[in-house]
Amino acid sequence: MLKEDQASPLGGGLRGRIQQNNSSFSKMDLLRFFTAGNVDDGKSTLIGRLLYDSQSISTDIIETLTRQSKTTGEYADIDLALLTDGLRAEREQGITIDVAYKYFSTDKRKFIIADTPGHAQYTRNMFTGASTAQLAIILVDARNGITDQTKRHSIISATLGIPKVLVCINKMDLVEYSEERFNEIAAAYRDFAELIGLKSVDFIPTSALVGDNVVHSSERFGWYKGLPLLQYLESVEVEEAESSDEARFQVQLVIRPQTDELHDYRGYAGSVLSGTFQLGDEVTVLPSGQQSKIARIEYNLSDVDEASKNQPVVLHLEDDLDVSRGDSIVLSSALPLSEKEINATVCWMDNQPFQAGQKLLLQQNSFRTKASIRVITSKIDIHNFQELESDGELKLNELAKVQIRTAEAVSYDAFKKQAKTGAFILINENTNQTVAAGVI
């Protein structure tokens, strides 16, 4: 389970540190995607083939894997799945591995892969891995077609507003590279995607074990006129899930040196979540509702005239206000919603079921407040996306729509409008463990 101070894509805290933008390249150069599929659909082999054939693996790792591999045969001298199953020994010792992140790059793009477990009982892990993705790669075994797990992964993608979904119909070598079978599965998935509201779906036939259509096009797919997987990933254009450009900033640290040299210094450090702030902007501090103007903006130890999305900065206000960690600073002309009762969709992540009256903490980035789930409005059937009547219970991996009451007002935008302010986690106040992740 995630602890509250771990870096959670859905809102874990950073404990008083300024969040640095660790990306040295522009958003256009980076693609964040996650992979999901049934157990034995070939997901690990696909990622391994992608890394191996794109020459994204160092020589020493290849030599190590060659010694460890038991695979010898027609297609490879190493077991490609080992590239993502490198922590298999820890799994055998009973240690839960939530999401494995892999990083690689080509001349055209840099990539972050979130590899999520395939078992149905790890729905919570997939929810976490998908939370920051721009693209979902969902694997389908060409022999089995669309399964309940395929639907489950697709529904979570729809719930999280993933901008684009790519369905890799894998193990095509086991159905003799049949165009008819490929079209049959694609048609069935399109029908389901329309039902759950997925707007942009593409399809690629692959054979990860053989290497067909992963990095290079294959003559075995003479009927397929599209790009192989790597070229698709290098060229696909995806929009951010959030469309809002309204200025949002959340305080991660209040800086008060109180030295002789900086006796009156009061700065509010954090990252700009969206939009742009400029000197002189009229701003409102939430949840208090206090108003002021931006008097100074510091970036990289220098004063600047404006700050934009993802920049770690220190803001100074004209007035001496009571501003704390977790408070939001927004333009007074474009306020977010700020309420003590919110409606949200949550994925329950705790092994222990939800108990009525359970004391919780809601954490949204660095903002934290006491909370409780007042009502479980309905549950979401992960097989068909329909809402089911609530039985008042919430168990591991279940998705539900709930009403949450908080001690302090939560400043937010709808998740599909602004993911960074519309997502949160719920923490057990007694154990400090993350018990749920949600979107507003």
Side-chain angles (χ1 to χ4, degrees):
M1 296 298 293
L2 292 171
K3 302 292 185 182
E4 58 84 17
D5 58 343
Q6 288 179 311
S8 166
L10 285 167
L14 294 182
R15 287 197 176 276
R17 299 193 301 267
I18 302 175
Q19 182 181 11
Q20 297 297 324
N21 180 8
N22 58 6
S23 172
S24 59
F25 37 85
S26 69
K27 181 181 69 176
M28 293 295 293
D29 294 328
L30 172 65
L31 179 67
R32 302 184 302 271
F33 66 92
F34 76 93
T35 59
N38 291 270
V39 178
D40 297 329
D41 274 357
K43 180 165 55 68
S44 294
T45 301
L46 180 75
I47 298 174
R49 174 64 68 184
L50 187 65
L51 298 173
Y52 184 72
D53 283 4
S54 63
Q55 299 181 344
S56 300
I57 310 167
S58 63
T59 303
D60 58 333
I61 293 179
I62 292 177
E63 292 175 351
T64 300
L65 292 178
T66 301
R67 291 193 301 270
Q68 293 177 348
S69 295
K70 299 178 181 179
T71 300
T72 56
E74 180 180 356
Y75 302 129
D77 292 327
I78 66 171
D79 183 353
L80 295 172
L82 290 177
L83 288 169
T84 54
D85 289 344
L87 298 178
R88 181 175 296 168
E90 284 86 344
R91 265 199 291 271
E92 291 172 351
Q93 295 171 21
I95 300 173
T96 299
I97 296 173
D98 288 331
V99 181
Y101 290 93
K102 296 291 180 181
Y103 308 84
F104 77 102
S105 63
T106 67
D107 292 340
K108 297 181 179 179
R109 211 169 203 170
K110 292 180 173 65
F111 304 91
I112 300 176
I113 311 172
D115 182 23
T116 62
H119 292 277
Q121 63 265 36
Y122 293 124
T123 298
R124 62 184 180 185
N125 310 75
M126 190 245 174
F127 198 97
T128 300
S131 63
T132 58
Q134 301 160 291
L135 169 72
I137 297 182
I138 298 177
L139 262 72
V140 175
D141 189 320
R143 299 168 299 175
N144 302 327
I146 307 301
T147 65
D148 285 349
Q149 189 72 333
T150 307
K151 294 179 180 180
R152 179 180 289 108
H153 294 152
S154 302
I155 286 171
I156 291 176
S157 298
T159 301
L160 292 174
I162 304 297
K164 186 176 285 291
V165 172
L166 171 65
V167 179
C168 273
I169 302 176
N170 195 35
K171 300 191 177 183
M172 288 294 294
D173 55 308
L174 300 181
V175 294
E176 299 180 350
Y177 301 93
S178 170
E179 179 182 8
E180 180 181 357
R181 180 57 176 160
F182 173 81
N183 290 334
E184 179 185 347
I185 295 173
Y189 190 90
R190 286 192 186 97
D191 291 340
F192 184 72
E194 183 177 357
L195 173 68
I196 64 177
L198 288 176
K199 297 179 180 179
S200 181
V201 182
D202 295 318
F203 300 85
I204 292 180
T206 61
S207 174
L209 182 63
V210 181
D212 288 331
N213 243 18
V214 179
V215 173
H216 307 290
S217 298
S218 171
E219 295 179 355
R220 298 183 178 97
F221 292 111
W223 44 267
Y224 175 71
K225 305 305 179 184
L227 297 173
L229 176 59
L230 181 59
Q231 291 183 34
Y232 174 92
L233 294 175
E234 288 179 327
S235 60
V236 64
E237 296 182 3
V238 292
E239 298 178 356
E240 289 291 326
E242 66 266 18
S243 57
S244 173
D245 59 356
E246 295 170 344
R248 303 285 185 258
F249 176 90
Q250 199 174 74
V251 178
Q252 294 190 15
L253 181 67
V254 179
I255 302 176
R256 291 292 310 278
Q258 295 182 316
T259 62
D260 292 339
E261 183 182 357
L262 300 169
H263 184 269
D264 296 323
Y265 187 100
R266 183 191 297 266
Y268 307 110
S271 289
V272 179
L273 302 179
S274 64
T276 300
F277 290 90
Q278 295 180 331
L279 288 177
D281 279 344
E282 295 184 358
V283 295
T284 298
V285 179
L286 297 172
S288 67
Q290 302 171 95
Q291 295 184 333
S292 186
K293 291 185 178 181
I294 294 181
R296 183 182 174 194
I297 302 174
E298 290 182 85
Y299 173 69
N300 198 23
L301 302 179
S302 299
D303 282 13
V304 295
D305 293 333
E306 66 177 30
S308 300
K309 179 179 177 181
N310 294 330
Q311 281 188 311
V313 296
V314 179
L315 299 183
H316 298 256
L317 303 181
E318 287 186 356
D319 302 286
D320 186 6
L321 304 180
D322 182 11
V323 181
S324 303
R325 170 176 163 81
D327 286 355
S328 293
I329 298 177
V330 301
L331 294 185
S332 299
S333 59
L335 298 177
L337 296 172
S338 189
E339 300 174 345
K340 290 186 178 181
E341 291 193 4
I342 58 177
N343 296 313
T345 299
V346 299
C347 176
W348 192 253
M349 295 180 168
D350 195 4
N351 292 319
Q352 300 298 318
F354 164 74
Q355 297 178 355
Q358 188 170 352
K359 294 182 178 180
L360 303 170
L361 298 171
L362 181 147
Q363 182 147 346
Q364 172 215 49
N365 299 305
S366 56
F367 172 78
R368 176 185 289 189
T369 183
K370 292 186 177 182
S372 63
I373 296 178
R374 290 189 60 225
V375 179
I376 301 174
T377 309
S378 62
K379 290 188 176 181
I380 299 174
D381 190 326
I382 56 178
H383 303 102
N384 55 27
F385 206 41
Q386 294 181 356
E387 291 188 31
L388 305 176
E389 184 177 350
S390 171
D391 56 6
E393 297 182 348
L394 197 52
K395 299 177 182 178
L396 177 64
N397 294 320
E398 288 187 330
L399 299 178
K401 293 189 175 181
V402 299
Q403 292 180 357
I404 299 174
R405 174 176 289 174
T406 58
E408 296 180 79
V410 180
S411 302
Y412 69 91
D413 301 279
F415 178 80
K416 291 187 177 180
K417 180 181 179 182
Q418 173 54 263
K420 291 182 179 179
T421 63
F424 62 90
I425 58 174
L426 294 176
I427 301 164
N428 185 314
E429 188 175 10
N430 295 323
T431 65
N432 229 25
Q433 288 186 324
T434 299
V435 297
V439 296
I440 306 173

